[in-house]
Amino acid sequence: MGRVAVVTGGTRGIGAAISKALKAAGYSVAANYAGNDEAASKFTEETGIPTFKWSVADYDACAEGIKKVEAELGPVDVLINNAGITRDAPFHKMSPEQWREVIDTNLSGVFNMTHPVWPGMRERGFGRIVTISSINGQKGQFGQANYAASKAGDLGFTKTLAQEGASKGITANAICPGYIATDMVMAVPEKVREAIIGQIPVGRLGEPEEIARCVVFLVSDEAGFVTGSTITANGGQYFI
């Protein structure tokens, strides 16, 4: 068995692509999901990757979930913080609940998942943490004060972990995807999608597999000197 990797939100979209790519690269993968039992069951049936259900917004659930993964697969060496939600609204109409839900999942969820695996990584002298942020965490986005804040927070969290983990063989990096051809993006009206593509210099949406390939590199032994970095994978739409 290869190193154990946990992918949150790992059964659909970008997360599913990451889970599959890590398995193909020889990792023993556990795909976490929060609610869609049907999609998770289909994913396991098609890939053979085991799925584990818990909400990353719940710290105790994360700690228990990690224990279950480690009991079945072994110590977690690689963590991919991919789970995320949106609750979009212009700021003057955004409710405290919409704010909290997004922060609890997209930002606190990264803490909730990383905190339980951090001691083991320190003890073993090896760890790889990759957090999927967003182009909108870099540049902001109308109607996404909550989402942009959470994804920007993920970047600050990553840079701090990189400094604290460096002496223990742990790297922490982030990826900021642009617009990717997931079910969610493909479901928007065609005219809106065309307008989005018109803002991307390469002239197309990204593919989930392109983000997955970035992850596979960052978690590899060969990437041991890369930490605290942000890979901006957006087709040239935004530079930072």
Side-chain angles (χ1 to χ4, degrees):
M1 299 287 283
R3 286 181 170 138
V4 175
V6 174
V7 183
T8 66
T11 64
R12 294 189 292 166
I14 292 173
I18 293 170
S19 295
K20 294 174 187 176
L22 288 173
K23 181 183 179 183
Y27 294 84
S28 182
V29 180
N32 153 268
Y33 73 103
N36 194 325
D37 294 324
E38 183 179 352
S41 178
K42 183 179 179 182
F43 175 80
T44 296
E45 182 180 339
E46 292 177 349
T47 66
I49 297 171
T51 56
F52 297 80
K53 184 179 182 179
W54 72 79
S55 168
V56 300
D58 183 330
Y59 181 87
D60 291 337
C62 291
E64 286 302 312
I66 291 294
K67 286 182 181 178
K68 290 179 182 178
V69 170
E70 295 195 326
E72 292 189 26
L73 302 178
V76 174
D77 299 303
V78 174
L79 172 63
I80 312 302
N81 289 308
N82 169 73
I85 63 171
T86 57
R87 297 290 186 268
D88 296 353
F91 185 64
H92 66 284
K93 294 183 178 180
M94 184 172 289
S95 68
E97 183 181 12
Q98 287 173 312
W99 174 267
R100 283 194 302 269
E101 284 183 357
V102 171
I103 296 298
D104 286 351
T105 296
N106 298 4
L107 181 56
S108 295
V110 174
F111 170 87
N112 295 342
M113 283 300 303
T114 307
H115 200 250
V117 302
W118 190 255
M121 290 180 175
R122 283 173 50 86
E123 289 171 10
R124 294 187 300 275
F126 180 89
R128 295 286 187 267
I129 297 167
V130 178
T131 298
I132 308 301
S133 180
S134 169
I135 184 176
N136 292 341
Q138 296 174 306
K139 71 176 187 61
Q141 178 63 35
F142 184 95
Q144 288 195 329
N146 48 7
Y147 184 81
S150 69
K151 292 300 186 177
D154 288 342
L155 298 180
F157 181 78
T158 295
K159 293 176 189 298
T160 300
L161 286 188
Q163 295 179 52
E164 294 191 14
S167 66
K168 298 296 184 180
I170 305 170
T171 67
N173 294 285
I175 300 173
C176 285
Y179 287 91
I180 308 299
T182 59
D183 290 343
M184 182 170 61
V185 172
M186 298 308 290
V188 305
E190 186 175 355
K191 286 186 178 180
V192 175
R193 200 161 63 246
E194 289 176 353
I196 291 171
I197 293 172
Q199 299 173 7
I200 303 173
V202 301
R204 65 174 176 84
L205 299 172
E207 295 295 334
E209 292 75 16
E210 293 179 297
I211 305 304
R213 287 194 288 271
C214 295
V215 171
V216 171
F217 167 69
L218 289 173
V219 303
S220 68
D221 288 350
E222 290 80 4
F225 200 59
V226 181
T227 192
S229 296
T230 300
I231 292 182
T232 301
N234 62 34
Q237 185 177 359
Y238 184 76
F239 301 110
I240 188 169

